[in-house]
Structures are given as structure tokens and as C-alpha cells.
């Protein structure tokens, strides 16, 4: 049986408090601004925000394997003089990821191609930081290379830096991501810790340690980073339960423990202070902002830097022109219409969305007893439909009086953001079931299990969706919005008493749903063993107007085996992507 490792779920609690230390701890030591010509690219350096830090080791439970889930040293990669920007793209799943550095030289940019094979996924630069940990007796207890996501929690180095970062927040964790943009804003520092993307917590006994960290030589040579080692004193403490039920996890902040914060945007109140969670919530991914029914991967983006919580886009960014790739493009559909459209529906000749499906992932077997239907076997899976642009998908729903149904309309905007047309697009329905409790846009996608000859064997009952930008699928496409705001269900579809609602899917982003309920998963009880295909099809009724409908369908091969009550599934790799092989 193939499964998404349970340990991935505890990664939904990430570290934000380190971003606070960027301003608090580094600003005093930062060199003064110099009046000189812009350098050829950014000046990169590794900085330490704090001289000492405390880590908390948690006990194992059914969600969490035990250990130190957050081993943040408070290190930051600083980019001074100009932004540090990387673009990643795979042209197909058969091809390796290609990386380019966009070098900012004053008002000009140039492209620097980086060596092939630098990374195999989009979670960060592997082995970027080399860490050596010694105990109180001077014995080396750990040597490891740590990955670095340039889009991690970040903050300004000095007051004169840009008010906000143009870059996305978080590195994509979806195994079938197509493209990404990574970066550290000019005169900002990004936390180098990316342990929340890993599957195994750190195992260390309580005690005092010394950590020494340096950027790996291949990255120093590639990006011109000084070979300076940073030293941080580390104290490891065992988890002490809070006597108040539902209280915060770990020791108080005064003891040096980091406050955890949730993966979704809704979990960030008070500049990095997280909602109170129990140990099970923090380690099991079931905290207040966890998206029930959506992807087990962190939403896109998986972390919101404290400095970006309420800030507007920087005036230094250049505005909203069609097809920009500098991260300054903002959503055209933020504000819903006050009332349903009048006049004649028309589909104008303006940019439109392009809905595409990713192949199914996270494919598993689930026994019926676990789903309230003993005696049956199901195939569960995750599916993502994303928007390749160049225009955002904008759909408004207007409630029919006295009914839990809304009439849906798709809207179109010109390149200046002006609404210039609309067309009927079906309906939205209120779903009161547990795990849903939101408005669903009907016929956004459908899922089928096909036989080896591509004829339908089983169809999923899931055809209505709450649209949210859960995954950054490809931020290199034309018109991509690097900072979407409707990244979870509460931002897009809540409110049973609403008279109207707006659902959006921004350019470059996709919406992932896990099909793990009886009316969503495939019932394979009566199916013979053998080869099948999971079909994910966007816009199946062609109600939505798109750039193209020729790329709406994706297929994923699976092979069923076993016997009733103990069925198995094998999921072959897609090209170079073996996403059903456990990550170590």
C-alpha cells in the first residue's frame, strides 16, 4: 500500500518567531547604507540573529514520531544591494528542473543559468547550510546539510529596506509542481531553516550544545557568499505539558521556545503568535487553520512572514501590467460585485484563464471499515486543478431567494483591470456536511477511474468545489500572482447566510482536494485486479471560458492487486517523479 507519510502532517506547524529576530537582532549590527553605484547582483551573507537558542523535544504519539520538530538556529541569508532571485522550471516530468538566477543590476536584469541537477524538487536548495553540533564535552553529535528555501519567513535588515517582499512566501511541496520563483528581497534576510519540509524530527538528548554553521562551498562559489562560520549555543529541553487544556505547546517564550504557527494564512495573529494548540494539534496538523478536505501538503504559500501580514504592496514595485513576471501583479478580482449582473452576457476578446489538471497523487487504499462502510475497499487520492493564465478565474455567486443555491457568473477583465464582460457559469451550492460547511462551485472538475482501455469503471461523486489557491503550481507563467490571498477555505467560501460570494483561482496557483470520503473516493470493491487510470478533468461541462480546453485532462496510471479487505495499489512514477516512494 502506498501512502503519503503521516509524518508530513506535523509539518503544518512552522517557525515564524525567527523572522522577528531579523529586525530585532540583526539591524543593530547591519552596516550603514553606502552611497555608491549598484553592485553587480546581490551581496549575500549568512547572519545569525541570536547567540543562543532553545529547542524543544516532543514525545512520540500517533501523529508524530517524537523528537525536535523545529531545530531552527536563527540563521538568515541576507541579500544586500539588490534582490536574490531564482526561477525554476520543468518543461515536462521527464526533464530535470532547470534553474536560472535573475541578476538585478540597477534597473537592468540579466539571466544566469545555474548548473543542471542543482535540485530535484521545489522545496529548496539541498545541503545549502552545513551544520556541526557538538555536546558540552566537545564531542560531535551531528553533522548535516540543511536545505534552504529562499521564500522562508523573512524580514527587513534595516528601516530603509522595501516595506514588503515581492517574492512568494514558502517553497512548493506538491511533488508535481511545474515551476517556481524563489527569492530574498533587497536588504532583507530570510531564515535558512527548512526543517518543516523534512519527514524526520531531530533526535537529541536534553542538554547544552554548540552549533557551527556555514554555507556549503558549492553555493559559496556559485553565488559569491563569504566562507564565514556562525556559532550558536543550543539548549535542548524536554516538552513540558501545559496544565491548562488547549494551552500553548512547549515552554513559555521566555524559556526560549519558538511559538509555532499554522500553515495557512489564517493562523497569523499578533506578528507570529499562533493560536493556542494542544500537543496533538501541533504535531498532527489538526490545528485551527488546517484545511479539512484539502491537501495534506502545506497550502501555498506554507508560511506567512510576520513583516507581510498587513502591509500593502511596496511603492517600489512597478504596478499591474499584463504579463509581468516581477511579482507585482495583483489580483483583479478581489472585490465581489454587489449584485448580480444585468444586461446581455458576452465573452469579450480579453485574456482568459487556462485551467489545467495535474496527475493524481497521494494514491492509497482505504478499507471501508475506516470510512463507515465495512466490507468495501476504496482508492483515495489527491487532485489539483490549476490556472496557467494569463488571466485569473473569477466567479461570483448570487443566492436564489430562500434557497441554498447561488447562480454563478464568470467575469472577464481587460488588461487595465476593468470588468468588461460576464457569462453564466452554472451554480454554487451550500454543503452543510461535516468537513465541508462552505459554498461549492458545481462542475469545476470531475474524477473518474478508467479501465486499461480508458473506458470508465467508476466515477467519483465529487464535482463541486470551494476554490482556493492552495498550491503554487507554476509562478513562472505569464501574469502569475506570487502573493494570492485566498489560500484556504475560510477566505473564499464560508458563511451559510451569505447572499453572494466570490471564488477565484489566481494565475499560477492551483486548488488541491483529497478524495478520502466514501462519496469522493473510488469504490473498487467489485473491480478486478489490473491496470487502471485515474482521470482528473477540469471544467468538464465547458461552462467556464478558457484560453484553451485541450489541456484540461490528466491521467495517472495505477495497478490494483490484493484480495477483498486487503487490496493493494502500485503507482508507477511519472517520468522522473516517483512521488509515491517514501521520502527519507
Amino acid at each position: 500500500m502506498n501512502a503519503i507519510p503521516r509524518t508530513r502532517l506535523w509539518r503544518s506547524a512552522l517557525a515564524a518567531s525567527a523572522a522577528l529576530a531579523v529586525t530585532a537582532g540583526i539591524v543593530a549590527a547591519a552596516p550603514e547604507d553606502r552611497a555608491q553605484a549598484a553592485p553587480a547582483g546581490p551581496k549575500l551573507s549568512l547572519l545569525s540573529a541570536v547567540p543562543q537558542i532553545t529547542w524543544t523535544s516532543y514525545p512520540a504519539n500517533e501523529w508524530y514520531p517524537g523528537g525536535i520538530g523545529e531545530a531552527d538556529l536563527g540563521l538568515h541569508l541576507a541579500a544586500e544591494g539588490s534582490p536574490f532571485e531564482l526561477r525554476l522550471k520543468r518543461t515536462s516530468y521527464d526533464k530535470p528542473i532547470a534553474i536560472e538566477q535573475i541578476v538585478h543590476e540597477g534597473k537592468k536584469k540579466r539571466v544566469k543559468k545555474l548548473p543542471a541537477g542543482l535540485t530535484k524538487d521545489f522545496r529548496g536548495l539541498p545541503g545549502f547550510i552545513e551544520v556541526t553540533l557538538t555536546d558540552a564535552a566537545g564531542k560531535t553529535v551531528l553533522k548535516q546539510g540543511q536545505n534552504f528555501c529562499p521564500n522562508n519567513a523573512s524580514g527587513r535588515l534595516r528601516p530603509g529596506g522595501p516595506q514588503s517582499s515581492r517574492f512568494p512566501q514558502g517553497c512548493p511541496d506538491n511533488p508535481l509542481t511545474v515551476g517556481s520563483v524563489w527569492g530574498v528581497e533587497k536588504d532583507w534576510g530570510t531564515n535558512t531553516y527548512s526543517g518543516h519540509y523534512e519527514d524526520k524530527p531531530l533526535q537529541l538528548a536534553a542538554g547544552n550544545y554548540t552549533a557551527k554553521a556555514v554555507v556549503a562551498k558549492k553555493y559559496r562559489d556559485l553565488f559569491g557568499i563569504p566562507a564565514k562560520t556562525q556559532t550558536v549555543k543550543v539548549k535542548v529541553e524536554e516538552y513540558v505539558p501545559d496544565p491548562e487544556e488547549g494551552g500553548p505547546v512547549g515552554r513559555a517564550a521566555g524559556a526560549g521556545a519558538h511559538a509555532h504557527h499554522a500553515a495557512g494564512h489564517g493562523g497569523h495573529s499578533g506578528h507570529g503568535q499562533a493560536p493556542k494548540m494542544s500537543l496533538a494539534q501541533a504535531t498532527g496538523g489538526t490545528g485551527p487553520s488546517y484545511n479539512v478536505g484539502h491537501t495534506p501538503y502545506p497550502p501555498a504559500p506554507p508560511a506567512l512572514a510576520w513583516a507581510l501580514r498587513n502591509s500593502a504592496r511596496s511603492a517600489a514595485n512597478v504596478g499591474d501590467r499584463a504579463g509581468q513576471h516581477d511579482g507585482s501583479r495583483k489580483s483583479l478580482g478581489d472585490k465581489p460585485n454587489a449584485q448580480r449582473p444585468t444586461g446581455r452576457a458576452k465573452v469579450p476578446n480579453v485574456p482568459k484563464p487556462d485551467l489545467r489538471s495535474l496527475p493524481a497523487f497521494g494514491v492509497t487504499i482505504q478499507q471501508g471499515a475506516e470510512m463507515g462502510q465495512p466490507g468495501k475497499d476504496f482508492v483515495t487520492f489527491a487532485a489539483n486543478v490549476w490556472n496557467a493564465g494569463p488571466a485569473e478565474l473569477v466567479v461570483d455567486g448570487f443566492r436564489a431567494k430562500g434557497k441554498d443555491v447561488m447562480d454563478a457568473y464568470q467575469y472577464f477583465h481587460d488588461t487595465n483591470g476593468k470588468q468588461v464582460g460576464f457569462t453564466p457559469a452554472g451554480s454554487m451550492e451550500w454543503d452543510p456536511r461535516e468537513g465541508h460547511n462552505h459554498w461549492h462551485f458545481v462542475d469545476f472538475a470531475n474524477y473518474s477511474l478508467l479501465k486499461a482501455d480508458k473506458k470508465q469503471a467508476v466515477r467519483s461523486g465529487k464535482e463541486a468545489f470551494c476554490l482556493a489557491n492552495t498550491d503554487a503550481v507554476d509562478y513562472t507563467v505569464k501574469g502569475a500572482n506570487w502573493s494570492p490571498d485566498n489560500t484556504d477555505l475560510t477566505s473564499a467560501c464560508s458563511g451559510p447566510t451569505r447572499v453572494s460570494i466570490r471564488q477565484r483561482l489566481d494565475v499560477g496557483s492551483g486548488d488541491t482536494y483529497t478524495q478520502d470520503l466514501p462519496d469522493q473516493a473510488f469504490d473498487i470493491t467489485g473491480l478486478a485486479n489490473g491496470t487502471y487510470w485515474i482521470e482528473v478533468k477540469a471544467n468538464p461541462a465547458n461552462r467556464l471560458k478558457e484560453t484553451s480546453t485541450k489541456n484540461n485532462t490528466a491521467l495517472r496510471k495505477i495497478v490494483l492487486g490484493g484480495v477483498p479487505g486487503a487490496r493493494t495499489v502500485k503507482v508507477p512514477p511519472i517520468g522522473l517523479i516517483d512521488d509515491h516512494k517514501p521520502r527519507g
Side-chain angles (χ1 to χ4, degrees):
M1 180 174 113
N2 294 283
I4 298 176
R6 292 285 298 179
T7 50
R8 288 193 193 173
L9 299 179
W10 60 263
R11 290 178 312 196
S12 60
L14 312 182
S17 57
L20 288 165
V22 178
T23 300
I26 295 177
V27 117
E32 296 182 359
D33 293 334
R34 302 176 180 87
Q36 61 182 21
K43 176 186 176 183
L44 302 178
S45 60
L46 184 65
L47 302 179
S48 176
V50 292
Q52 59 187 22
I53 202 162
T54 299
W55 293 345
T56 302
S57 180
Y58 296 99
N61 60 28
E62 62 179 305
W63 300 283
Y64 184 69
I68 301 166
E70 183 189 329
D72 183 6
L73 288 169
L75 303 175
H76 295 75
L77 184 72
E80 299 181 81
S82 65
F84 174 57
E85 181 176 342
L86 302 177
R87 302 284 180 94
L88 298 84
K89 183 81 173 182
R90 59 161 56 108
T91 55
S92 76
Y93 294 126
D94 297 315
K95 303 284 186 180
I97 297 171
I99 308 183
E100 297 177 338
Q101 182 181 1
I102 308 301
V103 182
H104 296 251
E105 298 174 328
K107 295 182 179 180
K108 297 181 179 180
K109 300 177 185 178
R110 62 180 173 87
V111 176
K112 174 184 175 182
K113 291 189 176 182
L114 301 185
L118 203 59
T119 182
K120 294 182 179 180
D121 58 37
F122 292 87
R123 299 187 297 162
L125 294 169
F128 187 85
I129 303 291
E130 294 177 342
V131 175
T132 301
L133 200 69
T134 56
D135 63 16
K139 180 182 177 181
T140 298
V141 295
L142 176 71
K143 277 190 174 182
Q144 68 173 195
Q146 295 184 351
N147 296 351
F148 170 52
C149 166
N151 296 347
N152 224 349
S154 58
R156 292 187 293 165
L157 298 175
R158 57 180 64 86
Q163 293 292 311
S164 61
S165 172
R166 76 193 71 189
F167 296 109
Q169 300 146 17
C171 291
D173 199 33
N174 190 315
L176 299 174
T177 299
V178 178
S180 188
V181 177
W182 295 346
V184 182
E185 185 56 271
K186 171 187 174 182
D187 295 333
W188 279 51
T190 292
N191 189 290
T192 63
Y193 177 70
S194 295
H196 41 260
Y197 290 97
E198 305 303 323
D199 289 323
K200 295 180 179 179
L202 191 60
Q203 305 295 328
L204 287 174
N208 296 314
Y209 300 85
T210 299
K212 294 184 179 294
V214 65
V215 176
K217 186 177 186 304
K218 71 174 181 179
Y219 295 111
R220 298 200 307 264
D221 294 344
L222 192 59
F223 301 122
I225 303 173
K228 183 178 180 180
T229 299
Q230 296 291 346
T231 301
V232 180
K233 298 294 184 180
V234 178
K235 183 178 182 180
V236 175
E237 295 182 336
E238 298 292 340
Y239 167 76
V240 178
D242 193 301
E244 298 181 7
E245 184 178 357
V249 174
R251 294 182 180 268
H258 290 296
H260 288 67
H261 72 276
H265 283 148
H268 299 267
S269 60
H271 293 296
Q273 294 180 357
K276 291 183 177 181
M277 292 188 291
S278 67
L279 173 63
Q281 287 178 318
T283 59
T286 56
S289 65
Y290 192 69
N291 291 338
V292 176
H294 268 59
T295 169
Y297 299 100
L304 179 66
W306 70 273
L308 308 180
R309 172 61 180 161
N310 293 316
S311 61
R313 300 297 298 177
S314 169
N317 291 335
V318 293
D320 294 327
R321 293 194 299 274
Q324 286 189 182
H325 289 256
D326 62 0
S328 64
R329 180 192 177 278
K330 291 180 289 187
S331 168
L332 300 176
D334 286 336
K335 186 177 180 180
N337 289 292
Q339 56 189 8
R340 66 179 64 226
T342 58
R344 182 181 178 184
K346 66 174 181 178
V347 181
N349 185 23
V350 295
K352 296 178 180 64
D354 185 9
L355 299 180
R356 302 183 184 183
S357 300
L358 294 182
F361 54 98
V363 182
T364 66
I365 293 290
Q366 194 162 352
Q367 294 183 5
E370 299 173 355
M371 306 174 75
Q373 296 193 17
K376 291 190 174 185
D377 295 298
F378 294 89
V379 168
T380 67
F381 60 98
N384 181 289
V385 172
W386 70 286
N387 180 9
E392 181 184 25
L393 174 65
V394 181
V395 180
D396 273 1
F398 296 93
R399 191 173 197 142
K401 188 175 181 180
K403 297 182 179 180
D404 287 339
V405 176
M406 292 187 181
D407 297 320
Y409 300 87
Q410 181 183 1
Y411 290 89
F412 307 97
H413 299 82
D414 64 19
T415 55
N416 295 318
K418 180 182 178 181
Q419 183 180 304
V420 292
F422 72 91
T423 186
S427 61
M428 297 181 186
E429 298 175 349
W430 175 255
D431 190 337
R433 293 175 299 167
E434 183 180 356
H436 295 270
N437 291 306
H438 48 249
W439 289 96
H440 279 161
F441 176 44
V442 178
D443 287 333
F444 176 69
N446 65 27
Y447 313 130
S448 296
L449 185 64
L450 308 181
K451 301 175 184 177
D453 61 4
K454 306 294 176 65
K455 294 182 179 179
Q456 183 171 288
V458 182
R459 183 168 176 173
S460 168
K462 177 69 175 178
E463 295 183 356
F465 300 80
C466 164
L467 304 186
N469 298 307
T470 66
D471 292 63
V473 178
D474 188 356
Y475 279 0
T476 69
V477 297
K478 181 180 179 181
N481 181 3
W482 297 353
S483 301
D485 56 0
N486 61 320
T487 57
D488 58 31
L489 302 184
T490 58
S491 65
C493 310
S494 62
T497 61
R498 299 281 291 273
V499 296
S500 66
I501 201 165
R502 169 156 289 187
Q503 295 192 25
R504 311 190 328 261
L505 193 61
D506 222 315
V507 180
S509 290
D511 189 4
T512 292
Y513 267 88
T514 52
Q515 309 309 307
D516 54 5
L517 298 176
D519 60 336
Q520 299 173 354
F522 296 130
D523 185 347
I524 60 168
T525 307
L527 294 186
N529 291 336
T531 297
Y532 293 84
W533 299 86
I534 297 177
E535 179 188 62
V536 181
K537 188 172 185 178
N539 191 20
N542 289 324
R543 288 196 170 102
L544 298 170
K545 306 305 177 185
E546 302 184 55
T547 303
S548 172
T549 58
K550 296 180 180 180
N551 49 24
N552 287 18
T553 302
L555 296 174
R556 187 69 189 263
K557 182 179 179 180
I558 66 171
V559 180
L560 296 179
V563 297
R567 300 295 295 270
T568 62
V569 62
K570 294 182 180 179
V571 186
I574 303 177
L576 302 176
I577 311 301
D578 191 1
D579 55 313
H580 286 72
K581 178 180 179 181
R583 297 193 305 208

